[in-house]
Amino acid sequence: MGGQFTPYDPLRCPHYAQFAAELDRVHFDGIYWTLFFLVIGTLFVSSWIYQSTMSYREKTEYCEDVFRKKLKTSLVWCTVLFLVAAVSLVIEVFALLALQFCDGEDLMSLYWATWTMLQLGSEIAILGIDLALWHHLSNVRSPLWALALGTPVLVVAGLGHLMHVALRKFYKKARARRHAHKTRNDGSSSEIEDVDISSSFSINKQEQEKADCSGILEAGNAVCFAMDVGDDERVKQWPSFMGMSDGKAIVQLRPHRGPFQNIT
């Protein structure tokens, strides 16, 4: 229900409010405040895009071609956000006109002041980001006073930047903590698997070597082994000694065809 001190005019309501004239107060407020925070969100995202693009110049892997490509991509995204915010502002105007002429809101001056300062100001700030990106892309020097005005929209953008930095730090800490926990779990499980695999591999290898050696010996062929004897020179006097390789003695094993003698 409208207030008695407001210009409630049922004749002007359909003329100014257009499609919003057929809605009620709940829908007026829902449309306006939803689009209000949407425009603020587009300002936040635009400032984040600009900040990330400009911070690339401070990295050690800076490349001029990559930087220009980032500038073009950021300019496209910020232009899209500018158009989204422009459409939202137009719909907000119809919602405010509906509040004024169809519902008779007593505090319309506060609505229009807030809309002008934050909504229209955010739209102009996003346009300023587009202009700044275009300046860098065209190698035109930006004015030195652009970021030093201290306007309300720049303060809002600064708050959005602080929120972005805080959330980014929290995400990095959580990701590092989860990665460290996963690394510890993977390390313990991999050690157990390595022990099991190495033990089974050594057993299989020994069994395979025994099977191969027995097969070779049964076929009447000789088998050569590498033995680590250290500094013992007596191995060179063995009849089966073949030579040295990588500090190990090569010993040849031949099949025995004669009778065995019992040594007591």
Side-chain angles (χ1 to χ4, degrees):
M1 182 177 67
Q4 57 181 347
F5 301 107
T6 54
Y8 171 69
D9 192 345
L11 298 178
R12 293 182 179 180
C13 174
H15 176 72
Y16 288 104
Q18 298 292 326
F19 70 93
E22 301 178 359
L23 305 176
D24 55 8
R25 177 58 185 266
V26 177
H27 293 90
F28 299 157
D29 288 336
I31 292 174
Y32 177 75
W33 291 112
T34 300
L35 296 179
F36 182 92
F37 289 106
L38 177 62
V39 173
I40 296 297
T42 57
L43 176 62
F44 285 175
V45 175
S46 300
S47 62
W48 296 342
I49 292 174
Y50 181 79
Q51 178 69 19
S52 62
T53 304
M54 294 297 106
S55 61
Y56 175 76
R57 296 184 300 177
E58 302 176 0
K59 296 183 178 180
T60 56
E61 63 272 13
Y62 171 79
C63 178
E64 184 65 24
D65 295 335
V66 177
F67 178 65
R68 293 185 64 84
K69 185 177 180 180
K70 287 180 176 292
L71 285 175
K72 293 179 181 178
T73 305
S74 301
L75 182 60
V76 171
W77 279 110
C78 290
T79 303
V80 171
L81 292 174
F82 174 81
L83 296 177
V84 171
V87 174
S88 301
L89 259 65
V90 173
I91 300 176
E92 284 181 30
V93 170
F94 285 109
L96 291 177
L97 290 173
L99 281 173
Q100 182 173 349
F101 295 111
C102 302
D103 187 75
E105 173 60 44
D106 293 331
L107 302 177
M108 282 309 301
S109 59
L110 296 180
Y111 276 92
W112 284 115
T114 306
W115 180 88
T116 304
M117 181 177 64
L118 292 180
Q119 300 296 281
L120 186 60
S122 298
E123 180 74 356
I124 296 174
I126 298 175
L127 178 61
I129 293 177
D130 283 337
L131 292 176
L133 291 172
W134 179 82
H135 276 73
H136 288 286
L137 190 59
S138 303
N139 295 324
V140 178
R141 184 177 180 182
S142 301
L144 300 178
W145 44 262
L147 297 179
L149 293 177
T151 57
V153 290
L154 292 180
V155 174
V156 174
L159 292 176
H161 177 65
L162 291 178
M163 292 172 57
H164 173 67
V165 171
L167 291 175
R168 190 174 182 179
K169 288 184 178 180
F170 176 78
Y171 172 75
K172 286 185 176 180
K173 289 182 179 179
R175 185 178 180 182
R177 192 181 301 110
R178 184 171 62 253
H179 180 70
H181 181 70
K182 184 178 179 181
T183 303
R184 288 196 299 268
N185 293 337
D186 293 344
S188 59
S189 60
S190 62
E191 289 178 358
I192 297 174
E193 292 178 357
D194 291 341
V195 172
D196 295 339
I197 292 174
S198 60
S199 59
S200 61
F201 177 76
S202 60
I203 294 173
N204 294 333
K205 186 176 180 181
Q206 292 176 359
E207 293 178 353
Q208 183 68 27
E209 288 179 352
K210 291 180 179 179
D212 294 342
C213 291
S214 60
I216 293 174
L217 291 177
E218 290 177 358
N221 298 323
V223 180
C224 294
F225 293 93
M227 299 178 59
D228 189 3
V229 296
D231 297 333
D232 193 352
E233 298 292 337
R234 293 177 297 175
V235 68
K236 296 181 180 180
Q237 301 176 3
W238 294 357
S240 58
F241 176 75
M242 303 297 296
M244 302 291 295
S245 176
D246 296 333
K248 295 182 179 181
I250 306 301
V251 180
Q252 187 180 46
L253 185 63
R254 296 179 178 274
H256 180 73
R257 301 186 182 277
F260 289 96
Q261 297 180 358
N262 295 327
I263 300 176
T264 56

